[in-house]
Amino acid sequence: MTALLQSTPDGFLRAGAPHLVISGALHYFRVRPEQWRDRLRRLVAMGCNTVETYVAWNVHQPARDATTFEGFADLGRFLDIAAEEGLDAIVRPGPYICAEWENGGFPGWILADRNLRLRNRNAPYLKLVDAWFDQLIPVIAQRQAARGGNVVMVQVENEYGSFGDDKVYLAHLRDGLIARGIEELLVTSDGPERRWLTGGTIDGALATVNFGSRALEVLAMAEEELPAQPQMCMEFWNGWFDHWGEEHHERTGGDAAGELADMLEHGMSVNFYMAHGGTNFGMQAGANHSGYLQPTTTSYDYDAPIAENGALTDKFRAFRKVIATHRELPPLEEHLAQLELVAQPATLPAGEVRIEKVASLRDTERFTRTAPVHPAPPAFEDIGLERGLMRLSREIEIAAVEGEGRTEISPLELYDLHDRAWVYVDGIYIGATGVVGNEESQIDPATIELTPFLERLLPEGGHRTVHVEILVENLGRVNFGPKLGERKGILGGVWQSIRFLNGWEADAWPLEEMGEELAALLESAPALAETIPASASASASAPAAAAAASTDALPVLVGASFEADAPTDAFLDVSGAGHGVAYVNGFCVGRYWNIGPQLTLYVPAPLVRAGRNEVLLLDLEKRPKQLALAAEHVFGRTDG
């Protein structure tokens, strides 16, 4: 069969006619399936003739023995809807996708093999990829344009020139796509210089480039390095993503539209990255690593032309104006009416989210139940935990020792901690250590000081046995660069004074799946008092006792609710909370953190129901005093 999209020295031909690909990236796994058609129509309204999506392996295979193409993972349905809306499709199946997505799309379970090396000709790795592609590629192949579908382009790997130069590996993937039925145009995508192209390109696949600025310079380079072929920007970075703890990224529509105009006027096809960013629901945001971990926020709005809630931005209008000089488009309002769209989707107004109950999670069986014992703290991957928290527990002996003129307790030192740990000793909250957003700090070993708690732990000096609990948090596996494939946990062990501590119970908390369980725990647990009992202040000042009572209750479960007349988008304002995860009507909408820049969580209309809507927070850091609904996204940071 003949591919619909042909590469010629003079540009693309689609069904024999000259063609500019004007595509928008929209990841099916970052949008509620009920909203796929709406978001795809918004691409059409902007003037796109194509949609591009990655395929996230870990969405489809959350465990070694589980494969799904349903719900968020229904790639076939997404492509079918795109076809119904008149859009061609570019599919980038990886197996690596980057995308600021957890582990670059690789399932965490494949890292249980400590010797596995990703993204090269390593035989155990290729065996896993081949088995996955045996299931995935037929879904794409049967929807190719040559077979009556809309897929016109399939990518080989992703930005491989930024990671390796194993041409045997790239050839294996290319040949595997062809063997499994891919007949449409194969492509690669890499950075906009020769140093990236030399590693990431492969014969038989059209090379494309990724960039966000200096379009004419890049075009000149591409024409020299990639002559006699259509030129295409596979990722036009018209916005950017956020890490926790840094400033929110914004880019004016006028600046980005100028780059777009330069590309299209010179015959360069384009894929907006992102056209619509969407949301890293649950805990599936990835992380970068630049000497320290930089976890990505729940929002993947990306300052894209189509906002996280589908709103059409000034950037959307600027891009559409440029596109309209190359494609015939109806006036915007007329076009929106044809597509049955509104420019600004309805949002619940700002208002109260009533906190109804707060309980200590430490008072529930999630902290008291027994768990398998491991010789040393296991990695998440060793116990089959993709994301969430791992509770480690055991008894240790602590002693008061004299040192440099004061009495001390030897600290606990956590070696090779990935990523953050919350420590409790005999019911006392000791503190947190490890990664803090985008902050560069030395955390190996991550140290937990016990001496500040001397009077509470050893009021009479001497020594005694205490019970230690450590919650280890995965803040997102690295998705780009040499740290790709990192494991999570306290990988080097827990050290005390002169030796490692062995024999830890390890209990997996897959938080994304625990909405119903946590709600039941909250319902059965005793509510925390609003004020500290008088007895609690007998041996200390009232403020100090109140602070101790508040922190010793951590982590807390918070039950709240809001009312809605009908299913409508909402923004949950969590600026009064600390650090944790939020659920709405049982669905994990994502992580929040008061270090910003994201202070609200997008709650899509399909999650909201008419009448009472239940909100549940698991907060590791503080007891939230208030929650609210905001009329729009709020960015910034709180004072903690």
Side-chain angles (χ1 to χ4, degrees), residues 373-523:
V373 176
H374 298 256
F380 277 49
E381 297 75 16
D382 295 332
I383 62 172
L385 179 58
E386 288 288 297
R387 293 171 292 277
L389 296 167
M390 175 170 57
R391 178 178 63 88
L392 300 172
S393 61
R394 61 156 285 173
E395 292 186 341
I396 69 171
E397 183 177 281
I398 59 172
V401 296
E402 297 298 323
E404 298 184 359
R406 68 171 187 153
T407 306
E408 300 176 338
I409 304 175
S410 296
L412 299 178
E413 296 178 299
L414 314 183
Y415 278 89
D416 203 11
L417 169 63
H418 296 245
D419 299 310
R420 191 155 175 79
W422 312 77
V423 181
Y424 316 84
V425 178
D426 267 7
I428 298 171
Y429 172 60
I430 301 299
T433 186
V435 171
V436 181
N438 201 37
E439 176 182 306
E440 183 172 5
S441 60
Q442 176 56 251
I443 58 169
D444 195 21
T447 302
I448 292 292
E449 297 289 351
L450 301 180
T451 300
F453 299 88
L454 177 66
E455 290 188 6
R456 299 185 69 191
L457 293 173
L458 293 171
E460 299 178 1
H463 60 83
R464 72 182 183 93
T465 298
V466 295
H467 189 72
V468 174
E469 296 155 322
I470 305 175
L471 285 181
V472 185
E473 181 183 16
N474 169 6
L475 288 170
R477 292 183 179 88
V478 170
N479 55 253
F480 182 83
K483 297 286 186 178
L484 180 72
E486 64 155 350
R487 293 154 60 84
K488 295 297 186 181
I490 307 174
L491 305 183
V494 180
W495 180 273
Q496 181 193 23
S497 183
I498 59 170
R499 56 175 171 254
F500 281 114
L501 300 176
N502 302 114
W504 290 88
E505 287 190 13
D507 190 22
W509 291 17
L511 293 179
E512 291 158 314
E513 306 165 17
M514 289 173 58
E516 290 186 6
E517 177 186 347
L518 294 175
L521 291 173
L522 175 61
E523 182 177 358

Side-chain angles (χ1 to χ4, degrees), residues 31 202 245 269 300 387 617:
V31 178
I202 186 75
S269 289
Y300 199 66
R387 293 171 292 277
L617 302 188

